[in-house]
Amino acid sequence: MPCRIPSRAALAVAALLASSSFLVPAHAAEAAAKTKAAGQRTQSQHAARSVRNDGDPDVVTYGRREDVMRFAADVAQKYDLDEAWVQQQLEQARYLPSVARLIMPPAVSTAKNWAAYRARFVEPQRIAAGLRFWQENERWLAQAEQRWGVPASLVVGIIGVETYYGRNMGGFRVLDALATLSFDFPSGRSDRSGFFRDELAQLLVWSRREGMAPAGVRGSYAGAVGLPQFMPSNVNKLAVDFDGDGHVNLMGSAADAIGSVANYLASHGWQPGLPTHFSVAPPANTADRAALLVPDIVPSFTPAQFAERGAALERAAQDAQGPLALVQLYNGDAEPSYVAGTQNFYAVTRYNWSSYYALAVIELGAAVAAAR
């Protein structure tokens, strides 16, 4: 989830790509909802925690748990918040068994398939919704492109993949989701409770600054919010008040969402005017192809080095500034697809660490632009 990631794109990353990334966690809800819970929960050692017969924590105990109250004191001190206020907010947090299930990897892995992944997002209804979004927000998209150098099509592509232009922003209380993953992270996968505790603290900081109740914020099961599915830390660091009303509102202001997405990409190395990728025919020699694939999506080779290894780039790429990456996308049992990714392709993957996600965003945005 910007950052990563946790949104709706990793539901396809989870189901079609068998990904377990937390960088953009908000994408996985639809597919992860179909998975089974894995294993039994381990009872906390904290004496203040009560447990029901089914092994899940009592939904009303967060405000009485010693570890939660220590967390409240630490957050209050670190961010100069009123400790009583922090405690009061955490007392409203509830354990959500569904969140503990949804954060788990898919029970059954499936073969990566770029064609199937693309088809979920680059399709007529989403393109039509993107066209309406562009027409309604043309002013803000143009201003964002002028200010940050990020093409309007790319911003439109990201918001379209993330939330279907606001249709799927998530219905979980973010306070509950983050508390569950902070204090009762499920066993069976790498423990990311520290990451989610940081995000819970950032939710409290953001809520206090904006004068809103943390319990009223809705988002994904992993805590991502709004049209662009920002985690709370990215709201505090990179979201912008683009419409100038004195508040950052990613849930209700398309202008703020547009400006925030553009600012996020600019902050992660976007270079104005540079294409995101070029077409390429990979080397026929297996060893040469493997050598170019070693850095994965990190741009590492010059066009000349591509040619030395037998990769055939399109003419425009031969004069490209900066390094390139040979990006491989599997198509199930069919032959893989390849592109030569630039620094800007890599910048898009900082939003969600997946080449499949990045190319879907780029192609959806291009399709919407073509429909104009």
Side-chain angles (χ1 to χ4, degrees), residues 51-114:
V51 178
R52 300 197 308 268
N53 292 333
D54 61 5
D56 285 332
D58 189 313
V59 296
V60 297
T61 56
Y62 276 131
R64 300 197 300 270
R65 278 173 49 170
E66 293 179 6
D67 58 334
V68 179
M69 290 302 97
R70 287 196 300 270
F71 171 81
D74 291 343
V75 168
Q77 181 178 20
K78 182 175 181 179
Y79 296 103
D80 194 26
L81 299 175
D82 178 72
E83 185 173 345
W85 179 84
V86 175
Q87 291 178 349
Q88 182 183 26
Q89 306 316 307
L90 293 174
E91 286 172 358
Q92 300 176 58
R94 301 183 305 232
Y95 173 79
L96 296 181
S98 58
V99 165
R101 290 193 296 270
L102 289 167
I103 207 68
M104 299 299 290
V108 178
S109 296
T110 57
K112 296 179 179 180
N113 191 323
W114 158 241

Side-chain angles (χ1 to χ4, degrees), residues 9 12-13 17 27 113-123 126-127 153-162 165 265 270 275-280 297 314 325-331 335-368:
V13 174
L17 310 183
H27 302 314
N113 191 323
W114 158 241
Y117 184 85
R118 181 187 187 278
R120 296 183 66 91
F121 301 106
V122 188
E123 51 84 22
R126 200 174 300 239
I127 292 169
S153 63
L154 193 60
V155 176
V156 170
I158 285 179
I159 294 175
V161 169
E162 289 292 336
Y165 306 104
L265 292 171
W270 181 268
T276 55
H277 63 285
F278 299 101
S279 62
V280 59
I297 55 178
E314 66 172 282
L326 181 62
V327 178
Q328 182 182 63
L329 303 104
Y330 291 100
N331 287 305
E335 287 296 313
S337 300
Y338 294 89
V339 297
T342 68
Q343 170 59 36
N344 280 352
F345 188 93
Y346 185 71
V348 179
T349 66
R350 300 311 85 195
Y351 209 100
N352 181 321
W353 288 18
S354 163
S355 55
Y356 298 77
Y357 169 87
L359 199 55
V361 160
I362 293 163
E363 295 200 2
L364 173 60
V368 176

Side-chain angles (χ1 to χ4, degrees), residues 289-308:
R289 186 165 64 250
L292 290 178
L293 289 171
V294 167
D296 194 23
I297 55 178
V298 180
S300 305
F301 302 103
T302 65
Q305 290 171 320
F306 262 62
E308 290 170 3

